[in-house]
Amino acid sequence: YIEELLQRHQLADAKPRSTPLPPGSKVLPTGEGETELVDSTEYRTLIGELNYLATSTRPDIAQAMSVLARFMGKPSKTHMGLALGVLRYLAGTKELGLRFGGAGELKLEGYSDSDWAGDPATRRSTT
């Protein structure tokens, strides 16, 4: 599925990225001076495709998708660039994923992190 997405968005030969979003990036709503996408259909499509991966086999991109999905109503070229960056991250980590099933006892272990008022636009916390 990742290969199909890379082909569909002309990123088959793109340089892979090491993280879904750049470290320390602040994703803000489209502001003055920023170029809003004329047709946001491509952005919405890409976010939906990536969200499918985040909820099925790639939870490592879930936080990035949560942030980028907030701007579906009025995305900018910056938001589109960040979404394509998530796809570049997937290009470099195609071998990762969750596999369900198998023999033996299942041991599930989870971790969580949070920030305090980390969203610069709304000052909401993220867990």
Side-chain angles (χ1 to χ4, degrees):
Y1 185 67
I2 292 172
E3 286 291 335
E4 288 178 28
L5 292 180
L6 291 168
Q7 292 292 334
R8 192 175 305 144
H9 295 281
Q10 291 84 39
L11 290 174
D13 298 324
K15 181 180 174 188
R17 195 189 212 169
S18 61
T19 59
L21 289 177
S25 61
K26 301 282 187 202
V27 185
L28 300 169
T30 304
E32 289 184 36
E34 258 194 287
T35 307
E36 186 179 336
L37 292 176
V38 177
D39 181 14
S40 61
T41 305
E42 186 179 351
Y43 180 78
R44 291 179 184 151
T45 300
L46 178 57
I47 295 299
E49 293 165 340
L50 293 173
N51 196 37
Y52 170 76
L53 282 172
T55 58
S56 58
T57 61
R58 295 299 301 260
D60 53 332
I61 65 169
Q63 195 275 336
M65 298 319 307
S66 171
V67 170
L68 294 173
R70 297 173 192 171
F71 306 102
M72 299 270 274
K74 193 176 176 184
S76 69
K77 287 188 177 184
T78 302
H79 297 130
M80 185 63 171
L82 291 170
L84 290 171
V86 173
L87 195 51
R88 286 181 42 220
Y89 165 76
L90 291 171
T93 59
K94 288 182 260 190
E95 72 283 353
L96 300 179
L98 294 178
R99 296 201 177 173
F100 300 99
E105 185 178 324
L106 178 64
K107 179 182 176 190
L108 182 63
E109 204 170 311
Y111 300 90
S112 176
D113 193 9
S114 62
D115 68 352
W116 181 257
D119 185 342
T122 63
R123 304 307 299 163
R124 291 184 182 155
S125 300
T126 303
T127 300

